[in-house]
Amino acid sequence: MNTYFVILVSSLLMNNFVMNKFLGICPFLGVSKRFETATGMGMAVTFVMTLASFVTWLVNEFLLIPFKLQYMQTIAYILVIAVLVQIVEMALKKVSPSLYQALGVYLPLITTNCAVLGVAILNTDSGYNLPESTFNGFCAALGFTMSLLLFAAIREKLALAKMPKWMDGFPGALITAGLMAVAFQGFGGLI
Amino acid sequence: MDILIAALVLGVMGLVFGLVLTGTSKIFAVPSDPKRDAVREALPGANCGGCGYPGCDGCADAIAAGKAPANACPVCSAEAAAKIAEIMGAEVPDASNRKVARVLCQGDCQSAKQKFDYQGIEDCNAACTVNDGFKSCKFACMGLGTCVKACPFDAIHIDPEKKLPVVDEEKCAACGKCVAACPKGVLELQPQKQEVALLCRNTDKLKAVMDVCKVGCIGCQKCAKACKFEAITMVDNLPVIDHEKCRGCQLCAEACPTGAIKALKPRQVAEIDQSGCIGCTICAKNCKFGAIEGALKQPHKVNAACTGCGVCAAKCPKKVITMKDAVAPRDPKAAVEAAPAKPAAETAKA
C-alpha cells in the first residue's frame, strides 16, 4: 500500500510529468487556452496512459525480455500506443458518442504525446510490476491533467490582463509555465 | 540471426495489432448515414468551430439530422455550400445575400464624449460594469476588442487612432460570434450588398445626442424626408431603412447632418447609350431627381443631378441605360424641371 501512496504523491507533486520531467509540453501549451478543452484533453490522456502502461508492461515482459529485444523498446511501445489510441477512439465512438464528441480531435493527437511513451519507458526502467505500472500510468496522467488544468485556469485569467504587447499571448504563457515549474521544484525534497 | 528475430517479433506484433484493429472496427462499427458522410465530405474540414459545433464532424451531424440549416457552415466556399444544399435538398444559397458584421457606432475618441478615463481590464464586458461604460453615450462602442477576441476568422481589428473596431468584410464569415460577444450590442449582421447603413443606435433626440456624440443620430428625420422611395420610417427616434424599397440613391446619407447614415458603396450614375436611345422619354418621366434631359424623339442625356437609383435603367424599353461608378460628385442644382415626373410615373405604371 505504501508503494502506491508514494507513486501517487510523487507523480502529482515531485515527479510531475509536465512540471518536473518536462514531458508532454506540446499539448500543455497547445490546448491550455480554454479550461473546457484542457479538461477533455486531460481525460483522454488519463485513459490512454493507464491502458498504455498496462499493455506495454505485458509486451515488455512476454515479448521483449524473452527475445532479448529491449533495444526495440521505443518502436514496440509506439506501436502499442498507436493501436491503443485507435481502439479507444473506435470504442468511444460506439459506446459513448457524447464523450467522443467532447474529446474530438484531441483523441488521435495523443498518439504523438511524448508523455505517454515517457510513462511506458519509465515504468520499465523503474522495474514496477503490472499493478504498479498501471497505477503509475494513471497517477502520471493525473499529474499531467492537474498541471494542464492549473495552467489553463491561469491563462484564462491572463487573457483579460493588461499586458505589454511583447508579453501578450505566448511569451506570457511561457513565462507563466516557467514560474509554475519553479514552484513545483519546491516539492523536490518531500520524499 | 538477431535481426531476423527482431523483425519477426515486431512483424508479428504489427500483424496481431492489425488484426485486433480490424476486429474492433467490425465490433464497434457505427452505422453512419450516407447523407451525413456526403455532407462531411463537402465541408472544409478545418474544424474551426465557426458554426458553433465541435468541428466539421459535429456540424455534418447537425446538418444531416436537420438540427442545423444546410448553410450552417459560415466559412465554406459558394460551391461547397451549393453542394451541401443539393445533398440536403435545400435551396441553393444565393451569394448576393451574403451577410457581414457591421459596427453600428462611429463614436471615436474625438467625437464621443467620455465620462471618465478608464484604466481597468482591457475588455468591454469589464468596462461596461463600471458605470455602464466610460463613454457618455450609453449605446457607444467601448472599443476594447472583445469582438476582436471572439472572431475566429481574424476579420475584426481595432483602429489604433479611432479606437473602434473595423470589420474586414472579405474575411467576415457572418458567424455571429462578435454579435454575441459585444456587451453593448453594437455589432449587427447586415447584408453586404446594402447601399447605406445607419451607424448609430442612440434612441435619444437632438440635444441629448449632440451633448454626448458629434456623429450620433439625432432623430431629425431629414433622411426620412429626403428619401424619394419612402424607404425610411422613424422608429424610436432612429431611421429604419427598408432595404427592399431602398434604391441606393444615397440622398439620406447626403441629408444627414451628423453623418450617422453612411453610404457604403461608391455612387453610381446612369449612362444612356446615345446610338440606341429612341427618345421615348420614359426614363425622364420616371426619374425622381430631374436628372434626364432631352426632347421627344431625340437621344436623352443624364445630367449631374443623377443619384444612381437605377429606376431609369429598369424602365428603359430599349435597355440602353447602364449604371457605372460616378466620376464627379453629384450636383443637385443641375436638375431640370421635373414637375410632370410624378403623375407621368403613375400613368406609366398604370
Side-chain angles (χ1 to χ4, degrees):
Chain A
M1 208 57 225
N2 204 9
T3 332
Y4 292 102
F5 183 71
V6 170
I7 289 177
L8 175 68
V9 177
S10 122
S11 32
L12 279 182
L13 300 176
M14 284 79 74
N15 290 314
N16 189 296
F17 260 60
V18 180
M19 293 305 168
N20 301 74
K21 292 201 168 82
F22 308 119
L23 288 170
I25 298 294
C26 164
F28 179 68
L29 289 171
V31 291
S32 56
K33 255 193 180 154
R34 280 168 51 212
F35 197 77
E36 292 159 46
T37 52
T39 319
M41 185 66 183
M43 274 159 58
V45 168
T46 310
F47 201 80
V48 173
M49 267 168 100
T50 315
L51 264 182
S53 306
F54 181 79
V55 180
T56 49
W57 188 88
L58 294 178
V59 167
N60 187 50
E61 196 69 16
F62 297 113
L63 277 176
L64 299 186
I65 293 177
F67 289 104
K68 299 196 174 54
L69 285 175
Q70 283 95 329
Y71 62 92
M72 297 293 275
Q73 202 183 37
T74 311
I75 195 165
Y77 285 3
I78 280 287
L79 202 60
V80 171
I81 292 164
V83 170
L84 266 180
V85 172
Q86 285 294 315
I87 293 177
V88 167
E89 195 177 344
M90 282 190 279
L92 265 188
K93 202 171 178 179
K94 174 85 177 179
V95 179
S96 166
S98 55
L99 184 62
Y100 176 78
Q101 287 282 320
L103 294 179
V105 69
Y106 300 119
L107 206 49
L109 278 182
I110 300 168
T111 319
T112 51
N113 187 341
C114 60
V116 183
L117 180 65
V119 79
I121 292 178
L122 285 170
N123 278 340
T124 314
D125 290 352
S126 322
Y128 286 141
N129 61 24
L130 184 60
E132 280 170 357
S133 284
T134 316
F135 189 71
N136 187 37
F138 175 72
C139 291
L142 222 56
F144 172 84
T145 310
M146 186 186 74
S147 356
L148 188 64
L149 290 184
L150 285 175
F151 190 50
I154 294 177
R155 276 187 82 176
E156 275 198 350
K157 291 273 178 207
L158 270 187
L160 296 177
K162 206 171 188 173
M163 297 262 258
K165 204 154 194 181
W166 54 273
M167 274 279 278
D168 208 19
F170 262 109
L174 285 170
I175 290 172
T176 314
L179 289 175
M180 279 174 77
V182 170
F184 268 81
Q185 298 295 334
F187 291 115
L190 219 58
I191 292 182
Chain B
M1 200 56 209
D2 281 351
I3 196 167
L4 281 181
I5 293 175
L8 203 70
V9 169
L10 272 187
V12 169
M13 255 176 86
L15 193 70
V16 170
F17 285 149
L19 288 175
V20 168
L21 272 187
T22 323
T24 30
S25 74
K26 287 261 162 63
I27 297 168
F28 292 118
V30 181
S32 73
D33 183 3
K35 213 187 217 178
R36 183 243 168 236
D37 289 344
V39 172
R40 174 66 188 80
E41 192 73 14
L43 287 170
N47 293 318
C48 69
C51 52
Y53 292 96
C56 292
D57 282 313
C59 186
D61 286 340
I63 292 178
K67 278 183 225 150
N71 58 356
C73 176
V75 284
C76 62
S77 61
E79 299 100 76
K83 207 171 155 196
I84 297 170
E86 199 188 305
I87 297 164
M88 293 306 298
E91 266 176 53
V92 175
D94 188 358
S96 64
N97 285 339
R98 185 170 179 262
K99 286 193 167 186
V100 290
R102 291 227 166 88
V103 183
L104 304 186
C105 178
Q106 304 183 88
D108 56 29
C109 359
Q110 267 92 48
S111 20
K113 214 184 242 174
Q114 298 207 355
K115 281 186 273 195
F116 54 88
D117 193 19
Y118 178 72
Q119 292 282 347
I121 302 168
E122 286 269 344
D123 180 83
C124 305
N125 288 300
C128 285
T129 57
V130 187
N131 200 7
D132 204 14
F134 55 87
K135 285 184 181 168
S136 299
C137 172
K138 64 180 174 202
F139 300 92
C141 169
M142 296 290 105
L144 294 175
T146 296
C147 50
V148 177
K149 281 178 209 147
C151 181
F153 303 105
D154 195 30
I156 308 185
H157 295 284
I158 297 289
D159 185 316
E161 271 165 31
K162 291 188 171 170
K163 300 265 190 285
L164 284 178
V166 181
V167 180
D168 183 341
E169 297 201 351
E170 287 308 307
K171 283 187 189 167
C172 176
C175 66
K177 290 211 169 154
C178 52
V179 178
C182 179
K184 287 282 188 184
V186 162
L187 285 137
E188 191 179 89
L189 293 181
Q190 294 184 343
Q192 193 187 19
K193 64 176 180 188
Q194 202 169 303
E195 295 267 354
V196 287
L198 172 68
L199 302 180
C200 179
R201 294 170 51 254
N202 194 323
T203 52
D204 288 335
K205 259 179 135 176
L206 305 171
K207 195 171 181 309
V209 180
M210 285 195 274
D211 282 347
V212 295
C213 183
K214 283 183 208 153
V215 291
C217 171
I218 54 175
C220 67
Q221 309 196 2
K222 275 189 184 164
C223 49
K225 282 172 196 148
C227 183
K228 302 240 183 193
F229 300 96
E230 290 160 0
I232 300 184
T233 44
M234 298 299 290
V235 177
D236 288 340
N237 297 323
L238 285 175
V240 176
I241 305 167
D242 182 348
H243 290 283
E244 295 290 310
K245 289 184 185 164
C246 174
R247 304 296 305 244
C249 71
Q250 305 183 357
L251 280 194
C252 49
E254 268 175 29
C256 183
T258 58
I261 292 194
K262 269 254 148 54
L264 302 168
K265 305 248 160 78
R267 165 160 287 166
Q268 304 259 298
V269 285
E271 191 181 47
I272 301 175
D273 178 6
Q274 298 293 314
S275 58
C277 177
I278 53 168
C280 67
T281 72
I282 288 180
C283 54
K285 280 176 191 155
N286 279 294
C287 182
K288 291 178 191 277
F289 307 97
I292 297 179
E293 328 175 336
L296 188 68
K297 306 244 164 123
Q298 294 294 315
H300 286 34
K301 264 191 183 158
V302 178
N303 66 29
C306 178
T307 60
C309 68
V311 170
C312 51
K315 291 278 180 190
C316 178
K318 290 282 164 191
K319 300 283 167 233
V320 292
I321 304 182
T322 47
M323 306 303 294
K324 55 169 194 161
D325 284 346
V327 275
R330 178 177 119 89
D331 176 18
K333 288 191 196 103
V336 290
E337 187 53 50
K342 227 173 180 181
E346 270 159 22
T347 45
K349 248 184 232 165

